[in-house]
Amino acid sequence: MQAERRNVHIVDNPVLQGILLELRDKRTPRHRFRELLETAGLLLGYEAGRLLATRLDEVETPLGVRASARRVADEELAVVAVLRAALPMAMGIIKLYPRAVLGFVAASRIEDTGRVVGDRMVFDVDTPYWKLPALEDRDVMLVDPMLATGSTLARVAARIAEQKPRRIVAVSLIATRQGIERVLEAVEDAHVVTAAVDPVLNEHGFIVPGLGDAGDRCFG
């Protein structure tokens, strides 16, 4: 994992990059897309583990010898999935951190509200459903596969920050610079972990080259 700049971490591992390439492929069928998105979540969650709180644990081996190691304190972790597209990624992440609690936010941008403000495209966001555990003093891994304009994730991150978590780590498969900037403006000390920063948003606010609509490609 390389840091592009403060608090922005790009996972350039070739295994993940190969998965991302197959996800970008318009020929990838729905069932395969879901499988790949779950695996991508697991790999991104693994890399994001470097940013989470740890604890020292000790066990006794079959030889009667004590062994110790630092592990992620996942009993202090909350994984929050932005429905619907983030669900496969969150399921991959939770395989790594089985003690974590799960939260869900149904959020979508309102497509016909897209407008340019300054040099940015922004959308109004509808968030009709929130089901979050207690987040105070927890690490929060906020999961959404596409960080495009940042309208959705910035709003969700700001509301999560009101609960005073220890830290917020936004995990996205593909991001844009605008999206990253908006998240870090909403929560200055957040971290963003992603597999790629794509260069362009088109006139409809979709990432280019991107991979299309992740929710539609997952679920139809």
Side-chain angles (χ1 to χ4, degrees):
M1 183 166 64
Q2 60 177 196
E4 184 189 49
R5 63 185 180 89
R6 184 186 68 84
N7 289 15
V8 180
H9 311 273
I10 301 174
V11 183
D12 56 359
N13 185 294
V15 175
L16 179 59
Q17 292 300 316
I19 289 169
L20 175 56
L21 190 63
E22 190 173 350
L23 285 164
R24 291 187 191 272
D25 190 340
K26 67 180 183 180
R27 300 168 298 178
T28 300
R30 186 175 302 127
H31 71 279
R32 178 63 176 161
F33 191 92
R34 285 196 300 268
E35 292 170 357
L36 290 168
L37 203 55
E38 182 173 332
T39 303
L42 188 149
L43 294 173
L44 285 164
Y46 167 81
E47 293 288 352
R50 303 173 190 270
L51 305 170
L52 304 177
T54 62
R55 58 176 292 174
L56 184 65
D57 265 2
E58 189 176 80
V59 298
E60 183 176 345
T61 76
L63 299 179
V65 179
R66 306 297 292 180
S68 62
R70 298 206 70 85
R71 67 165 180 84
V72 171
D74 58 341
E75 65 275 14
E76 301 172 12
L77 172 65
V79 177
V80 177
V82 179
L83 301 175
R84 59 187 168 146
L87 192 56
M89 284 182 65
M91 293 302 98
I93 290 169
I94 208 71
K95 288 180 178 179
L96 290 174
Y97 307 117
R99 302 175 188 86
V101 294
L102 274 167
F104 301 94
V105 179
S108 60
R109 67 189 191 187
I110 304 171
E111 296 294 345
D112 60 3
T113 64
R115 60 201 181 275
V116 176
V117 178
D119 60 349
R120 295 177 173 178
M121 177 171 283
V122 300
F123 289 83
D124 294 336
V125 177
D126 184 27
T127 55
Y129 178 80
W130 295 76
K131 191 67 173 179
L132 301 180
L135 301 178
E136 186 173 358
D137 294 328
R138 288 185 182 272
D139 289 342
V140 175
M141 200 176 291
L142 175 57
V143 187
D144 194 355
M146 308 299 287
L147 176 51
T149 67
S151 300
T152 299
L153 213 59
R155 178 170 175 177
V156 174
R159 181 160 167 181
I160 285 173
E162 294 173 1
Q163 289 201 36
K164 296 183 171 31
R166 183 164 48 215
R167 64 176 60 80
I168 296 173
V169 180
V171 177
S172 291
L173 185 64
I174 302 175
T176 67
R177 296 189 188 283
Q178 173 184 316
I180 291 168
E181 288 170 1
R182 290 196 67 189
V183 169
L184 295 182
E185 287 169 3
V187 183
E188 185 177 355
D189 59 351
H191 290 260
V192 176
V193 177
T194 186
V197 179
D198 279 5
V200 178
L201 283 168
N202 68 15
E203 66 273 16
H204 303 294
F206 281 90
I207 300 173
V208 178
L211 51 72
D213 188 303
D216 285 352
R217 293 192 66 190
C218 275
F219 304 114

